Amino acid sequence: MAKTKLEEINRNIYDIKNKDEYDFKIKKGLTKEIIEEISKQKNDPDWMREFRLKALDVYNKLELPTWGPDISELNMDEIATYVRPKTGLSNSWEDVPEDIKSTFDKLGIPEAEKKSLAGVGAQYDSEVVYHSMKEDLIKQGVVYTDMETAVREYPDLVRDHFMKCVPVNDHKFVALHGAVWSGGSFVYVPKGVKVDIPLQSYFRLNSPESGQFEHTLIIVDEGASLHFIEGCSAPKYNKVNLHAGCVELYVKDNAYLRYSTIENWSKNMLNLNTKKAIVGKNAQVDWVTGSFGSKISMLYPMSILNGEGAKTEYTGISFAGKGQNLDNGFKVVHNAENTSSLVNAKSISKNGGKCTYRSLVRINEKAKNSKSSVSCESLMLDDISISDTIPVNDIRTDEVEFSHEAKIGKISDKTIFYLMSRGLSEEDAKAMIVRGFAYPISKELPVEYAVEMNNLINLELDGAIG
Amino acid sequence: MELLKLNETPVRTSRNFNINNIKLENISIPQEINNFNNMQVYGDESKVIIDNQNTKLNLTYGLGDFFTNQVSNNANKKIKIVIDKKLNKEIEIDFKFDKENNDLIDNIEIVAEEQAKGTVILKYVTEKNIQAFHNGVIRLLAKKNSKVNIIVANLMNESSNNFMSIENKVEDESKVNYTIVDFGGKNSITNYFSDLEGELSDNKLSTIYLGKDNQLFDLNYIGELRGKKSNIDIEVQGALKDNAKKHFKGTIDFKKGCKKATGNENEACMLLSDTAKSLALPMLLCSEEDVEGNHSSSAGKVGEKELFYIMSRGFELKEAMKLMVRAKFNKILDNIKNEDLKNEILDSIDKILD
């Protein structure tokens, strides 16, 4: 069968560049003086300034990872870690400056807010420029605000949870995040409150040779539930940009949290993000992830099942094209009895792209009667791409049911032949198969986001079938 | 004794996962290697050439420089086995460790000539109450259209140390069936590498391991598929009781050009106590589109329903467990046509599970 022609695609709306205008941009590099200047610019309380400096010390002591993609091109001396846009935080869409508003309009954020969201946060470079939430949630005591406001207005809650789930010595880029973090979202859902429609934060990095280090802290209190959606994009520049965000999720006893991500960073972005959830008794956290952008991605969301009966599910897809190295996966640690985890990971490699699924399932001694099932499938669309599966399964007790399976291969010629015999062209048949392959992930998203994900797949495949 | 770091995986993952290599402390490495005389050859002895010249080894992987160099420079048994068309009996070599012969550094080369067929059995046993040391390299060249069965039985006691590096080169249309029985050794560390360079080359690797007390098994199996329509099947079945621990690292690597190659890997670990531990890294690496790769891995205790069924037929728990373990191992044990060896292995299973 003839080879499918694979071309680089036009990412249209995601590549819109605004003029690099800002209110303040810190000088490039990473020194104690720079950290102190960021802290001053952000009016940090003393504890936060000290925290940043301590994190810088840890950053300087830790080594780069000795595994995974080569990130030696990252030179922190060439990255500006803080860029404050030319606007303050607004609760009214009309007050957001025209060029920034226009970018988010084209990305469909206000439209989505009207149709399907309970609240929206929009971050532009290092600061959140817009935040809003429906009145009835405010009345129920739900807090959804930017992290800086949370540090000021909920100091005890923030101090008790900030970088406790993801400690700064976890790895080098968490330490970097601790030193330079800015922006991000804080959500608190009080006991028993069910937030029926999702909240969304959208992160846009416009400034070249800069980094985005937003911090997301979500506390879903006992018996409460929430669906949180995170979207990310940036225009493409010639030099690398860095994203080293941090997401900390606390899902208390009997609570439920679904955390969905559509990641579409530009293809000059190094996405070195860290996400972790601590899950209480009979609570559940579900991760749904679509990873399309970035030049290099190293992202492994993690669930720590500390409460008896805690559950987690991970449903993720990565789509790597020309010049992309997406090293993604999932980690779960079972620390209590009757816990369970279910993993369904998929990847598609095309046009010289590389996808790696890297994971850890650890079932500790105390986690009697726990269950874990992992499935990963990789699809190769040509013979110049690479797809690797590197899962670690660490089982430390006998009262468990654990299974892992993985498959790798190309689109079956028989399936293409079957579809073509029903009147489809080869290209349409392949596109249909790829959409079907991604369906288990897209069906987990709210319909508007499933459409966005399908559009991203279409965009990629439009290039693929030239 | 310094910390020994060995058996590196072909691709690294996070250091926190503790699986990129194995670190051993307080391993007693013999400094002076004496002769090893307690070796017996059965079958066609004319095909077994014993030579005492050291050979510089260039292994693609191996356990690490220290172990490879020890075999290069200090082997006390250097053996070449030739499988040609005239071979009509299987060859068995038994190495028996005793007080006078408790260190074995063996360098074994097996060459299967074109279109030849044959079976080689290598058996390692220890007398009770000795602490033996074994460091061996087995290299196999399977030339075109050859068909080779190799059985390696490690039946050493659990106070000895067993280190083994195996490398195969598999040419066009040749078939290599490797069966490894890994029961012995306080530490049993194996590196297995198969280079399937030939078109339609085929390698089946079947392993059973069984551990008790504080035994540690570190199995690092790597299959590189280079030839068109080449195939590798890796099947690993094991059981662990007491505080025994197993690290399984299995890599199937589809190299560019291996069109229509297939690779399957299945690893299952029965945990017979709540302090036994199973760590597994079943990797699939793929740089070729037109291939099919699958792996599966599982761990857990013996099924309660099955145990209940067997016990309801009058068996005691221990006997029922033995039956279950034997049942899991049977498919692989069926590869061994030599009944004496098979019975010896079955006896060992019973003893370990007593």
Side-chain angles (χ1 to χ4, degrees):
Chain A
M1 194 161 282
K3 282 270 155 247
T4 304
K5 191 181 168 201
L6 302 170
E7 303 284 352
E8 198 45 3
I9 53 140
N10 174 10
R11 289 160 35 89
N12 62 38
I13 52 168
Y14 302 102
D15 273 333
I16 300 162
K17 277 179 209 170
N18 289 343
K19 201 171 165 192
D20 183 25
E21 289 183 325
Y22 44 81
D23 183 44
F24 175 81
K25 189 170 185 173
I26 198 98
K27 66 177 181 180
K28 292 174 184 174
L30 198 62
T31 61
K32 191 177 170 193
E33 292 67 38
I34 285 173
I35 302 302
E36 279 178 337
E37 182 61 29
I38 291 174
S39 197
K40 189 177 149 199
Q41 290 289 331
K42 297 187 72 65
N43 284 321
D44 279 342
D46 286 349
W47 73 268
M48 184 58 79
R49 187 178 57 83
E50 283 160 21
F51 183 92
R52 288 180 189 277
L53 292 170
K54 196 178 135 203
L56 178 68
D57 280 347
V58 176
Y59 172 83
N60 286 328
K61 282 178 193 152
L62 291 177
E63 291 172 7
L64 284 170
T66 54
W67 48 275
D70 177 11
I71 49 173
S72 56
E73 67 181 306
L74 175 64
N75 179 359
M76 285 310 296
D77 294 337
E78 293 297 320
I79 298 277
T81 51
Y82 179 66
V83 184
R84 185 168 62 225
K86 276 176 70 176
T87 177
L89 173 61
S90 173
N91 293 322
S92 160
W93 192 242
E94 297 311 313
D95 295 341
V96 176
E98 198 52 45
D99 55 343
I100 297 176
K101 194 163 65 179
S102 155
T103 306
F104 284 113
D105 277 340
K106 283 170 187 156
L107 291 165
I109 306 307
E111 195 60 27
E113 181 187 0
K114 274 181 237 156
K115 281 185 181 169
S116 58
L117 296 172
V120 157
Q123 176 161 339
Y124 194 82
D125 292 331
S126 297
E127 295 290 358
V128 176
V129 294
Y130 172 70
H131 235 289
S132 80
M133 187 171 58
K134 288 199 187 315
E135 273 299 317
D136 59 325
L137 290 179
I138 298 170
K139 282 179 191 158
Q140 290 181 76
V142 176
V143 178
Y144 178 36
T145 184
D146 61 295
M147 267 311 291
E148 283 75 5
T149 304
V151 170
R152 280 197 312 275
E153 294 182 8
Y154 306 94
D156 295 339
L157 207 50
V158 171
R159 215 171 163 171
D160 286 349
H161 293 87
F162 184 81
M163 298 206 80
K164 295 284 195 310
C165 174
V166 181
V168 286
N169 53 6
D170 245 20
H171 60 79
K172 193 169 180 76
F173 294 99
V174 166
L176 171 66
H177 173 91
V180 302
W181 78 272
S182 178
S185 296
F186 173 79
V187 183
Y188 174 73
V189 186
K191 283 182 186 174
V193 173
K194 313 272 185 200
V195 182
D196 294 330
I197 40 177
L199 300 178
Q200 183 187 23
S201 284
Y202 200 97
F203 302 100
R204 177 83 181 165
L205 182 57
N206 183 66
S207 190
E209 294 179 286
S210 63
Q212 195 169 62
F213 305 93
E214 84 289 349
H215 195 92
T216 302
L217 174 57
I218 298 177
I219 303 162
V220 186
D221 216 330
E222 291 173 19
S225 72
L226 173 70
H227 183 184
F228 190 87
I229 300 171
E230 167 193 78
C232 341
S233 70
K236 185 168 179 177
Y237 295 101
N238 289 329
K239 292 197 174 171
V240 294
N241 277 19
L242 172 63
H243 176 234
C246 179
V247 174
E248 295 186 283
L249 311 177
Y250 295 85
V251 190
K252 308 278 182 174
D253 295 354
N254 299 301
Y256 175 80
L257 172 62
R258 170 169 288 211
Y259 195 93
S260 304
T261 306
I262 300 287
E263 182 271 299
N264 189 31
W265 291 116
S266 58
K267 291 171 185 175
N268 63 317
M269 181 71 87
L270 303 189
N271 182 31
L272 310 173
N273 213 2
T274 305
K275 299 178 178 182
K276 206 186 274 189
I278 293 179
V279 191
K281 192 174 174 183
N282 293 320
Q284 179 164 351
V285 65
D286 292 346
W287 304 88
V288 180
T289 300
S291 183
F292 296 87
S294 307
K295 180 178 188 185
I296 289 171
S297 173
M298 293 175 80
L299 175 59
Y300 323 96
M302 180 175 194
S303 295
I304 302 174
L305 305 177
N306 278 349
E308 197 180 326
K311 289 180 180 163
T312 189
E313 288 186 19
Y314 171 83
T315 311
I317 191 163
S318 300
F319 200 135
K322 186 177 179 184
Q324 287 184 277
N325 187 344
L326 306 185
D327 198 300
N328 295 333
F330 180 61
K331 294 186 282 185
V332 58
V333 177
H334 293 247
N335 279 334
E337 290 185 13
N338 299 310
T339 48
S340 71
S341 56
L342 183 66
V343 178
N344 183 8
K346 301 205 173 213
S347 71
I348 302 169
S349 308
K350 70 168 186 76
N351 205 10
K354 178 174 182 181
C355 272
T356 301
Y357 172 74
R358 195 182 297 271
S359 69
L360 170 71
V361 174
R362 179 171 289 154
I363 303 183
N364 275 323
E365 289 85 343
K366 287 181 186 166
K368 306 277 179 210
N369 296 313
S370 289
K371 291 177 182 175
S372 177
S373 174
V374 180
S375 162
C376 41
E377 279 184 81
S378 308
L379 195 57
M380 297 275 285
L381 294 187
D382 57 43
D383 60 1
I384 53 169
S385 302
I386 295 175
S387 180
D388 292 346
T389 307
I390 308 177
V392 174
N393 308 318
D394 185 355
I395 314 299
R396 301 181 178 191
T397 187
D398 61 337
E399 302 266 353
V400 296
E401 280 178 39
F402 168 77
S403 69
H404 172 111
E405 57 179 46
K407 283 181 191 168
I408 207 157
K410 65 168 197 167
I411 297 177
S412 147
D413 286 347
K414 276 184 194 164
T415 315
I416 295 170
F417 179 78
Y418 174 82
L419 290 172
M420 288 172 73
S421 73
R422 295 291 178 274
L424 267 67
S425 67
E426 184 196 338
E427 290 74 18
D428 287 345
K430 283 188 175 177
M432 182 182 273
I433 293 164
V434 172
R435 277 185 214 106
F437 182 78
Y439 176 72
I441 285 90
S442 61
K443 81 178 171 59
E444 295 299 325
L445 291 165
V447 67
E448 291 75 9
Y449 299 92
V451 169
E452 185 187 344
M453 197 179 101
N454 277 338
N455 285 341
L456 282 168
I457 292 174
N458 287 346
L459 263 176
E460 300 285 338
L461 287 173
D462 278 351
I465 59 183
Chain B
M1 176 69 209
E2 62 185 290
L3 193 75
L4 275 175
K5 199 166 85 171
L6 60 157
N7 222 5
E8 294 274 349
T9 51
V11 174
R12 286 178 67 82
T13 190
S14 172
R15 196 184 298 171
N16 299 336
F17 300 168
N18 299 320
I19 200 164
N20 291 321
N21 46 52
I22 178 89
K23 295 181 186 85
L24 298 177
E25 248 177 321
N26 301 322
I27 300 292
S28 164
I29 307 275
Q31 300 303 309
E32 262 187 55
I33 311 294
N34 298 318
N35 289 339
F36 189 95
N37 297 317
N38 206 357
M39 181 187 96
Q40 189 70 47
V41 180
Y42 301 95
D44 191 345
E45 288 182 40
S46 68
K47 307 296 179 196
V48 179
I49 303 149
I50 298 174
D51 166 15
N52 288 321
Q53 289 295 311
N54 285 323
T55 314
K56 174 79 184 150
L57 294 169
N58 285 311
L59 300 182
T60 308
Y61 288 98
L63 290 172
D65 287 348
F66 174 83
F67 288 90
T68 307
N69 290 341
Q70 191 182 43
V71 178
S72 287
N73 303 327
N74 292 308
N76 53 8
K77 274 286 166 276
K78 187 171 178 300
I79 300 166
K80 182 172 181 179
I81 302 167
V82 179
I83 298 173
D84 58 23
K85 284 188 193 170
K86 292 177 191 160
L87 182 73
N88 52 19
K89 261 180 134 180
E90 68 182 22
I91 295 168
E92 178 175 341
I93 305 178
D94 292 358
F95 300 92
K96 289 183 185 164
F97 295 82
D98 56 25
K99 274 184 187 165
E100 282 74 42
N101 300 282
N102 64 349
D103 299 326
L104 172 64
I105 316 292
D106 54 339
N107 179 354
I108 299 174
E109 183 187 3
I110 303 170
V111 178
E113 299 293 351
E114 286 188 19
Q115 300 187 11
K117 288 180 188 173
T119 297
V120 174
I121 296 171
L122 301 166
K123 189 172 83 176
Y124 300 86
V125 290
T126 39
E127 271 187 358
K128 269 188 182 173
N129 305 324
I130 65 153
Q131 282 189 355
F133 177 88
H134 173 225
N135 176 21
V137 170
I138 306 168
R139 287 170 299 145
L140 165 70
L141 171 61
K143 293 188 180 173
K144 286 180 185 174
N145 283 299
S146 60
K147 193 174 175 187
V148 191
N149 293 313
I150 295 181
I151 296 156
V152 177
N154 158 23
L155 304 177
M156 296 166 74
N157 63 26
E158 63 270 19
S159 45
S160 299
N161 282 305
N162 178 48
F163 299 94
M164 192 168 280
S165 303
I166 296 170
E167 289 214 358
N168 305 326
K169 187 175 261 203
V170 192
E171 293 187 351
D172 291 355
E173 297 188 43
S174 54
K175 288 188 190 310
V176 174
N177 291 329
Y178 232 103
T179 304
I180 300 176
V181 176
D182 206 355
F183 290 175
K186 185 180 179 194
N187 300 288
S188 184
I189 318 292
T190 308
N191 185 283
Y192 178 100
F193 168 63
S194 206
D195 179 2
L196 290 132
E197 59 167 32
E199 198 169 325
L200 286 162
S201 57
D202 185 274
N203 180 202
K204 287 189 174 45
L205 167 61
S206 312
T207 292
I208 52 175
Y209 63 86
L210 181 56
K212 67 171 187 175
D213 297 335
N214 290 306
Q215 279 185 277
L216 167 70
F217 297 91
D218 191 81
L219 319 175
N220 189 6
Y221 294 172
I222 304 149
E224 282 186 6
L225 296 138
R226 296 175 187 281
K228 287 178 186 166
K229 297 183 184 173
S230 52
N231 173 63
I232 187 163
D233 291 320
I234 300 175
E235 172 81 20
V236 179
Q237 294 284 345
L240 300 172
K241 61 182 253 194
D242 307 328
N243 297 315
K245 203 189 275 185
K246 174 267 316 178
H247 300 168
F248 171 73
K249 304 171 267 194
T251 307
I252 294 182
D253 192 354
F254 293 96
K255 295 290 185 189
K256 199 162 170 55
C258 69
K259 293 205 179 295
K260 304 219 178 290
T262 50
N264 297 290
E265 183 180 14
N266 178 36
E267 189 263 338
C269 180
M270 271 187 282
L271 295 163
L272 308 179
S273 90
D274 64 355
T275 47
K277 291 181 175 52
S278 162
L279 184 61
L281 170 57
M283 284 196 273
L284 282 175
L285 311 177
C286 183
S287 316
E288 178 55 63
E289 170 202 21
D290 193 2
V291 298
E292 260 185 56
N294 298 289
H295 72 218
S296 60
S297 168
S298 63
K301 63 190 290 189
V302 176
E304 282 181 9
K305 278 183 194 164
E306 290 89 340
L307 271 183
F308 178 78
Y309 177 81
I310 297 169
M311 289 169 74
S312 72
R313 296 290 180 272
F315 288 91
E316 290 190 3
L317 177 65
K318 198 182 273 179
E319 294 304 311
M321 288 279 230
K322 282 182 189 173
L323 274 179
M324 292 287 290
V325 172
R326 276 184 175 216
K328 285 275 180 193
F329 288 0
N330 256 344
K331 195 179 148 202
I332 291 174
L333 287 172
D334 283 348
N335 295 343
I336 301 170
K337 306 298 176 202
N338 182 316
E339 286 301 318
D340 290 344
L341 177 61
K342 198 168 170 178
N343 288 332
E344 199 174 341
I345 293 167
L346 289 171
D347 282 351
S348 289
I349 294 174
D350 283 353
K351 276 183 197 150
I352 293 168
L353 293 176
D354 267 339

